[in-house]
């Protein structure tokens, strides 16, 4: 061993592992929600509710571990920044679980009215980009890859653009086809939830940049 | 003086003051957004965008102060819990600024279409409750008043109920009156933003309970 083994490293490894486990649940939850929609298989939404419970349990455990590390190990500099980043990423992951749950609720409502109005391909496209963003945000966190984090930030614009496009087309549909109102509202709601999933992925990437550089880029990389 | 003056107390006072200033901006921002809607005065929405910039500046400053305190003062027990609560409250306040901004965007859209559809009184009612919740959450934080925090948590149900009521009535309106679609969508969006403001107020109250008791009540007080 070239340097002394530090107790704090074990604690940090433990909390990092838990965050990765939590992000795995988030990814699986979003995947289940999107599959349920694509396959018109309402029972698959139940998985989302199961994952959300696990995510909430992880959230509480991550916060307890961070509090423990801060209270007993006196982390400094790089370690302290990592703990603060994890506290924030934890909040984002928990809210992503909520967003997946919202997709499941609106998705169930959509499937009840899907005979009125087909699922727009833009929604699948948007969900695909958001899922890539979530996956890459967590890879960027794990590998401390600032470049990858910045690539994810750039993808957020196309998600926002797709949301605007979906909103516009759903409003036109509702005006011309009153029977399609519920199906259109559900799709608008799902697109909003996907947009928020992507926003949380960008929050995580901002934390990764902060972790690498100590620079706070929130409110600066967007217009 | 009955006890030694601690340097950490000055730092904690500074960050607490900054959080209170930030919450003042949030309250003023929400007030401006609601007034602009009630008075059909679109120019008042501009205030909301100004407040949002100030809120974002505060957010970065609060995080820097917390990082400084954690890195230099080694806070323990009660102090450490307070710093962690402030880090979370900071995130909530920043998102509340975003929600007020969203209300301003949707409010502008509503005012462009207000001749189609009057503002539902339920929206004003909902906004009134949410504003009380925000104010009381910050009083509960300042005074470490756990009872008040728990009262705020109970009010969230009536906000959710009003949102459901508004959604239902707007869907009925859109089905029977296609010309009112934009006005109805805007009101649904505003009610969703108000609901999220209330959610952030409940997050702050959960942090207040944690601060007082060390007990994490997230995911337990709701069904």
């Amino acid at each position: 061993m070239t340097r002394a083994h530090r107790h704090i490293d074990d604690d940090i490894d433990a909390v990092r592992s838990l965050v990765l486990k939590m992000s795995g649940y988030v990814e699986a939850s979003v995947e289940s929600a999107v599959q349920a929609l694509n396959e018109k298989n309402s029972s698959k939404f139940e998985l989302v509710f199961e994952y959300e419970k696990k995510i909430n349990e992880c959230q509480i455990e991550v916060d307890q571990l961070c509090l423990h590390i801060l209270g007993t190990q006196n982390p400094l500099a790089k370690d302290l920044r990592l703990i603060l980043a994890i506290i924030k990423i934890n909040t984002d992951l928990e809210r992503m679980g909520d967003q997946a749950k919202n997709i499941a609720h609106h998705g169930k409502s959509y499937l009840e009215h899907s005979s009125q109005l087909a699922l727009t391909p833009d929604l699948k496209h948007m969900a695909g980009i958001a899922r890539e963003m979530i996956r890459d945000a967590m890879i960027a966190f794990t590998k401390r890859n600032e470049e990858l984090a910045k690539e994810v930030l750039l993808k957020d614009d196309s998600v926002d653009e797709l949301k605007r496009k979906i909103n516009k087309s759903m409003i036109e549909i509702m005006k011309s086809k009153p029977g399609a109102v519920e199906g259109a509202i559900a799709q608008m709601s799902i697109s909003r939830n996907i947009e928020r999933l992507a926003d949380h992925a960008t929050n995580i990437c901002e934390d990764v940049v902060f972790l690498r550089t100590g620079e706070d880029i929130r409110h600066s990389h967007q217009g």
Side-chain angles (χ1 to χ4, degrees), chain A:
Chain A
M1 281 196 354
T2 53
R3 56 175 191 156
H5 180 81
R6 303 183 315 159
H7 187 53
I8 189 172
D9 291 331
D10 294 338
D11 284 349
I12 286 179
D13 276 350
V15 72
R16 274 167 54 101
S17 302
L18 191 55
V19 167
L20 293 181
K21 180 171 135 186
M22 190 177 173
S23 74
Y25 291 143
V26 169
E27 290 185 45
S29 178
V30 174
E31 187 180 345
S32 301
V34 172
Q35 277 183 357
L37 262 181
N38 287 341
E39 299 167 6
K40 296 193 179 185
N41 177 355
S42 201
S43 66
K44 232 173 207 173
F45 288 127
E46 299 309 318
L47 287 173
V48 176
F49 303 121
E50 292 305 312
Y51 283 125
E52 201 245 348
K53 284 183 207 153
K54 291 179 202 279
I55 293 165
N56 290 346
E57 286 164 15
C58 287
Q59 183 199 19
I60 289 177
E61 210 182 324
V62 167
D63 268 344
Q64 282 169 345
L65 278 169
C66 288
L67 187 67
H68 170 77
I69 294 171
L70 289 170
T72 60
Q73 311 278 345
N74 193 19
L76 293 173
K78 208 163 64 77
D79 293 333
L80 180 57
R81 283 218 298 269
L82 177 61
I83 298 299
L84 289 188
I86 285 174
I87 288 171
K88 289 179 188 186
I89 290 171
N90 189 31
T91 304
D92 282 303
L93 289 173
E94 189 270 336
R95 303 238 163 113
M96 288 160 100
D98 287 343
Q99 291 305 321
K101 193 177 70 172
N102 289 343
I103 292 175
H105 282 303
H106 295 300
K108 281 184 165 187
S109 161
Y110 170 71
L111 291 188
E112 283 168 26
H113 299 94
S114 60
S115 59
Q116 298 167 355
L117 185 63
L119 200 67
T120 165
D122 287 329
L123 208 55
K124 297 184 196 177
H125 183 192
M126 197 180 169
I129 302 173
R131 287 179 59 197
E132 274 175 28
M133 288 173 70
I134 298 169
R135 185 200 59 203
D136 289 348
M138 292 313 298
I139 293 174
F141 168 68
T142 311
K143 300 196 180 296
R144 314 267 182 117
N145 186 335
E146 190 190 336
E147 292 312 310
L148 183 59
K150 287 184 173 170
E151 277 173 34
V152 174
L153 294 176
L154 292 176
K155 285 188 187 170
D156 199 38
D157 286 345
S158 49
V159 170
D160 291 345
E161 189 52 45
L162 280 164
K163 189 195 136 199
R164 273 191 291 274
K165 188 180 165 202
I166 291 168
N167 268 2
K168 212 173 151 192
S169 79
M170 292 300 145
I171 286 176
E172 289 313 309
I173 287 166
M174 287 190 283
K175 285 162 97 167
S176 62
K177 201 178 160 195
V181 162
E182 282 97 341
I185 289 285
Q187 292 194 55
M188 282 174 76
S189 302
I190 293 167
S191 88
R192 190 180 59 249
N193 297 137
I194 295 172
E195 184 218 11
R196 289 186 56 205
L197 281 170
D199 281 345
H200 288 294
T202 67
N203 291 347
I204 292 174
C205 289
E206 288 168 350
D207 289 325
V208 171
V209 175
F210 171 73
L211 205 53
R212 285 290 294 172
T213 65
E215 184 197 356
D216 196 328
I217 60 161
R218 292 175 301 188
H219 315 304
S220 65
H221 68 90
Q222 286 164 325

